Each structure stands twice: as structure tokens, then as C-alpha cells.
Amino acid sequence: MSDDQDAGSRFPVVGMVGAGQLARMTQAASIPLGVRLRVLAGTGTDSAAQVGADVRLGDYHSLDDLLAFAAGCDVVTFDHEHVPGQHLAALEAAGVTLAPGPAALRYTQDKLAMRQELTRLGVPCPRFAPVAELSDVTRFADEGAGWPVVLKAVSGGYDGRGVWVCDDKFAAGEVLAHGIALLAEEHVPFRAELAALVARSPHRQGAAYPVVETVQRDGVCHEVLAPAPGLSPAMAEEAQRLALQIADSLGVTGLLAVELFDTGGGLLVNELAMRPHNSGHWTIEGARTSQFEQHLRAVLDLPLGSPRPAAGQTVMVNVFGAQDPDLYDKYIHVMAADPGVKVHVYGKSVRPGRKIGHVTVTGTGEGGENLLALRDRALRAASYLATGKERGE
């Protein structure tokens, strides 16, 4: 072994189950830290598998594949929440260090358990109830929730999937016919959707990023505005406090994204994610420490980096696939039209509606005019990358 190899061997190996865009961007963050990132990919064409030096092919549904993948890793973390709970428990029993662990991850895999635990902790949430039959839903509506009622899959939903807004009992009946475990939630009228991103290490060091506003369409995030415009300092501090409280109470190691409704009269917690999150992509250019570096620091129990913003205002816009599969040729126009736009692509095949990348624009954040201009620049770039056309053409 050479001297260089011997020196490098002292650096830890982090295993990340899943090889999507979150693992891809974590790979970039691992390089300057000297951390070796190993990813478990389903295929060699997965987003992170295209750029990683240590890629293992396997199925996260297979305990044997997971155990083989974890061998030699100092810690194993995740870019999704779909590893079966019994496998997580078996990995932990086998001595694998998981970050976060099965006890915490349960609350991202089981929405009913999450609602029940947050309620026990005194965290404000929408009104909810488990439902199995149409009579359960109508009783929930009649006893105060009213219509429409939101039905959610207890497990497996993400990016708007597994969520149905039902205007009446007939719509609810159609959802119940799917035969999956569901819970009902009240439909919350809100002023804005927010996200509070925090990190927590095993030694309980915490760090909170500025609270952001997420602009959603059909349950899918399209834009992130950092920091959230018009949010009072007191409300922003309350959102950060809630997120840090949840991370500590649930024993989270790594990142925790808390999605919230700003109702105008207070905050309600909507969803949790214990990993890097779409609402935190802006941190690559817009914060002193990106969410991806912060996650690595946290799971390795390193001192956390500064979450302070590096720009007055940052706008991130997701790029969704359209009919034209060629992204590369569009770079020339986007880069020439606005050299300040930062483009991130995920190496995914293009299909309509699929999240294939994002763009970020930073600015001083001085006044509403500046935010409007930043959003326009980001939206123009994302539109052209997707369709080859400017917005409104």
C-alpha cells in the first residue's frame, strides 16, 4: 500500500442506500471532505451510479444485499425511506451503524405513527384519524373536519403520490377502493407552505437553516424561496425550534426536513423527511454549508458546518421533463442568456413530468423587486431546459 493509500484509509466510508439525485449530490459533497461514499444502486444507470467511484449493485428489498453492502461501511444512511422496517432492524441487530436508525425512520415510513407521536409530543398537526371504511371518513368530516377531506396512504407516498383531496364521499369511496391503509386529515387552508431543514448529530449538536417557502403544484415542489419571503422573524424562529425539537425527540441523526403549513395564525406540521431534501437544494450555492455536506458531517458525528446563507436571497426551481429529451444542447442558450444561473442535472432519462434537474439563482435579496427578478430568471432557465422555449411562448 502506498503512503497516499495509507493516509486515505483513515477516512471513513459512508454507505448510502439508494442512488438517486440525492446520492448523486452527496457524492459531490463527499469529495472535498475526503469521505468515501458507497452507494447501493439498482442499476448502473441510476443517477448516482453514473458518477460514483464505489457503486454496489443490489436490491434494497433484499436483506442479503443490504448486509453485503454495509460490510466495511462506518455508517449507513439513506437517500429514500423505502427500506423495509424489518430489514433496518436486522441490520441494526447485526451491528451496522444506521443514521438515522430504525426507531426514527419509522416516523417517515408510517404516516399514522408519525401523526400519533407528534401529537403526543405536543407538536401542532392537522386533525387526523385512521380510516378503513367510508363511514369512518364521513364521520371524520361530520365531526368537525368538514369537506374536502385529505386521504393519505399510511406508507409509500411521496411527491404528491399517495395523497388525495376528496371533495365528497363519492371521491373518498374511490380512494378507499384501492384497498390500502389510509388516514384522513383535515384540509388546511394555508397562507404558505414552508420547510424547516435542520441537522442533528449523535452528540446532539444541532444546526438550523433559514426557513424557506416551497411553491407546490399538484403536491409536487416546483420552487423554493430562501429565506421565506414575508415570514416574520418570530414565526421563522418558531419553525426552526419545532424542527430541532422533533429531531431531538425522535432521535434523528443526519438531516431532518419538516414541511409546514403557515395558516396565518400559526404553524402545522405536514410531513417529515430524514435525509437531504428537495427544499434544501438551494443550499449548494445559497448557504455556507450545503445540506449534502451537512448530512455527511452529522452522520459521521463531525462538527456541523455553518447553515448561514451565503446570499441575501436564493431561488431554486426544479426542472421537469417534457417532450424533448435533449438537455445538453439547451445549455448554450441558458448559459449565454444568464451566466449567473447554476444548472444541476441528475443524469436521468427524460420523460414528461419527471424531475430531471434544478436551477438556482442567488441575489442580494434587497426588496421584493429583487425576489421577483430572481424568480423570473430561474423560471425562464428551467422552462428553456425543459421545453426549449421561454416561459409563455
Side-chain angles (χ1 to χ4, degrees):
M1 180 181 290
S2 71
D3 289 342
D4 286 346
Q5 289 173 317
D6 183 61
S9 69
R10 292 194 295 270
F11 284 82
V13 176
V14 175
M16 183 167 266
V17 177
Q21 64 261 29
L22 300 180
R24 182 184 179 104
M25 288 181 274
T26 304
Q27 175 69 57
S30 72
I31 295 169
L33 292 177
V35 172
R36 180 174 163 191
L37 186 73
R38 176 185 298 173
V39 298
L40 180 64
T43 73
T45 60
D46 288 357
S47 182
Q50 299 173 29
V51 299
D54 189 353
V55 178
R56 309 296 171 93
L57 298 183
D59 183 354
Y60 66 83
H61 294 99
S62 164
L63 179 58
D64 288 341
D65 286 357
L66 289 167
L67 287 166
F69 171 75
C73 291
D74 293 273
V75 61
V76 172
T77 189
F78 310 90
D79 91 336
H80 61 72
E81 295 94 357
H82 306 310
V83 177
Q86 66 270 25
H87 291 354
L88 295 172
L91 287 168
E92 189 173 63
V96 177
T97 300
L98 301 177
L105 283 169
R106 177 188 175 212
Y107 299 112
T108 65
Q109 297 180 325
D110 185 327
K111 288 184 170 59
L112 179 58
M114 180 264 288
R115 280 282 179 258
Q116 291 169 334
E117 181 64 10
L118 292 184
T119 299
R120 188 188 70 81
L121 293 170
V123 174
C125 296
R127 187 180 318 194
F128 73 96
V131 292
E133 300 177 352
L134 185 56
S135 60
D136 298 329
V137 181
T138 56
R139 185 181 310 112
F140 177 73
D142 293 342
E143 291 180 352
W147 296 95
V149 168
V150 179
L151 294 181
K152 289 185 176 181
V154 169
S155 62
Y158 67 98
D159 265 357
R161 299 173 179 88
V163 179
W164 299 268
V165 179
C166 302
D167 291 323
D168 52 41
K169 64 180 182 180
F170 302 105
E174 291 180 353
V175 177
L176 286 160
H178 295 326
I180 59 176
L182 296 166
L183 72 154
E185 290 185 356
E186 65 176 317
H187 188 265
V188 176
F190 54 83
R191 184 169 62 184
E193 292 186 78
L194 306 174
L197 183 68
V198 299
R200 180 180 179 274
S201 70
H203 277 101
R204 299 181 65 185
Q205 183 187 7
Y209 286 93
V211 178
V212 303
E213 180 178 344
T214 62
V215 180
Q216 311 268 340
R217 301 188 192 104
D218 298 322
V220 180
C221 179
H222 280 246
E223 302 175 53
V224 174
L225 313 178
L231 187 66
S232 71
M235 192 71 78
E237 185 177 337
E238 174 63 11
Q240 291 173 319
R241 185 198 67 77
L242 270 174
L244 288 168
Q245 174 197 343
I246 294 168
D248 189 57
S249 297
L250 301 186
V252 175
T253 296
L255 285 178
L256 171 69
V258 180
E259 299 179 33
L260 307 116
F261 295 129
D262 176 2
T263 67
L267 297 172
L268 295 176
V269 171
N270 182 29
E271 298 286 355
L272 304 179
M274 297 177 189
R275 51 169 171 76
H277 192 253
N278 196 184
S279 68
H281 291 353
W282 69 273
T283 61
I284 298 174
E285 286 85 22
R288 300 294 181 189
T289 307
S290 78
Q291 66 164 343
F292 303 99
E293 178 183 341
Q294 195 79 290
H295 187 67
L296 289 170
R297 286 180 178 231
V299 302
L300 289 168
D301 210 9
L302 296 169
L304 299 181
S306 170
R308 293 175 62 84
Q313 188 82 48
T314 303
V315 175
M316 189 283 300
V317 175
N318 285 317
V319 178
F320 294 90
Q323 298 301 324
D324 186 351
D326 194 344
L327 284 176
Y328 189 73
D329 281 349
K330 303 189 190 80
Y331 277 6
I332 297 173
H333 175 87
V334 170
M335 293 177 179
D338 191 344
V341 172
K342 296 296 184 180
V343 178
H344 298 259
V345 295
Y346 302 154
K348 293 181 173 182
S349 59
V350 177
R351 61 173 183 258
R354 188 184 200 188
K355 202 179 292 179
I356 55 173
H358 73 267
V359 298
T360 308
V361 179
T362 60
T364 63
E366 296 173 357
E369 289 287 331
N370 186 265
L371 176 59
L372 290 173
L374 292 177
R375 289 183 73 181
D376 184 65
R377 289 168 58 194
L379 287 164
R380 282 176 178 271
S383 175
Y384 197 88
L385 285 168
T387 67
K389 298 178 182 179
E390 297 281 3
R391 290 175 67 208
E393 286 187 10

